[in-house]
Amino acid sequence: KAGVTQTPRYLIKTRGQQVTLSCSPISGHRSVSWYQQTPGQGLQFLFEYFSETQRNKGNFPGRFSGRQFSNSRSEMNVSTLELGDSALYLCASSLAAGGAGTEAFFGQGTRLTVV
Amino acid sequence: ELKVEQNPLFLSMQEGKNYTIYCNYSTTSDRLYWYRQDPGKSLESLFVLLSNGAVKQEGRLMASLDTKARLSTLHITAAVHDLSATYFCAVDKDSNYQLIWGAGTKLIIKP
């Protein structure tokens, strides 16, 4: 069973540019969440999508956006990149059902470096 | 605002010893997660605890949840070097996959 796939794995961008990250969840999973991990702030929730709808959004500026497609794949976009956006971006997928379906599985992450 | 506090943040211990990592959270929640992260790697799911009194065990790790005390513990029994990693607890805000994370406990187990 394939796991959560994130592409690209590594990315270097210049300040002011924009970037799009992709996440393919485990087959059958309908919930995709995104997190930012930095040494200073730790793990922070960005947003969560279920059936193409954003259900929750964390405390991030509007430069951070996302979407989910009908096949549950998700993308997140960061516009006007700042140095502070350098981080490991992780996505997690879940069945979004009760019991064992609650478990959230993470991809390998995309390491974004803004120079 | 939901806050999640882990302690200790750093733990160095000898192989064969037992220890416990604590995870306190500030508001009610019925989902608590434990994850492991190795350096430069992603997050590996260890346990999902869904109800008060839940206890789960996998190998040398055992997790428990006390929703009344808003406390979860991760107990390590007879630690081995391979358990060296950073361990995170996370609480699901409003049971909708918006995980609020503890700062992580960096565990170093010396041979």
Side-chain angles (χ1 to χ4, degrees), chain A residues 34-79:
Chain A
W34 288 89
Y35 296 85
Q36 181 196 65
Q37 186 176 28
T38 60
Q41 299 298 318
L43 281 152
Q44 296 185 89
F45 171 79
L46 281 157
F47 22 67
E48 188 260 353
Y49 288 88
F50 181 84
S51 294
E52 302 179 67
T53 300
Q54 185 184 91
R55 297 196 296 185
N56 293 287
K57 190 176 194 301
N59 189 25
F60 278 81
R63 300 186 296 108
F64 291 80
S65 63
R67 57 179 176 170
Q68 186 180 33
F69 302 95
S70 58
N71 62 358
S72 293
R73 189 178 71 87
S74 178
E75 289 181 346
M76 68 164 280
N77 184 276
V78 188
S79 63

Side-chain angles (χ1 to χ4, degrees), chain B:
Chain B
E1 181 189 354
L2 174 58
K3 293 185 179 179
V4 181
E5 293 186 351
Q6 276 183 249
N7 68 83
L9 297 183
F10 180 81
L11 180 56
S12 179
M13 54 195 289
Q14 296 292 128
E15 277 191 325
K17 299 291 186 182
N18 303 333
Y19 210 81
T20 301
I21 299 170
Y22 298 89
C23 176
N24 290 91
Y25 53 99
S26 58
T27 64
T28 57
S29 174
D30 59 0
R31 296 185 195 175
L32 189 133
Y33 299 77
W34 284 97
Y35 285 88
R36 166 182 173 151
Q37 187 176 41
D38 292 295
K41 304 291 186 181
S42 187
L43 293 156
E44 175 189 352
S45 177
L46 295 174
F47 302 108
V48 182
L49 302 170
L50 300 175
S51 61
N52 187 43
V55 177
K56 291 193 174 181
Q57 183 165 5
E58 182 72 35
R60 301 175 187 274
L61 301 178
M62 182 174 72
S64 66
L65 178 62
D66 181 343
T67 57
K68 294 179 181 177
R70 297 176 187 166
L71 170 69
S72 179
T73 60
L74 179 67
H75 186 73
I76 303 153
T77 301
V80 294
H81 179 66
D82 287 351
L83 290 178
S84 296
T86 298
Y87 292 85
F88 291 92
C89 67
V91 176
D92 190 342
K93 185 176 182 295
D94 301 324
S95 299
N96 58 7
Y97 301 95
Q98 180 175 346
L99 300 188
I100 308 300
W101 298 81
T105 297
K106 184 171 183 178
L107 176 63
I108 296 176
I109 300 170
K110 301 175 182 177

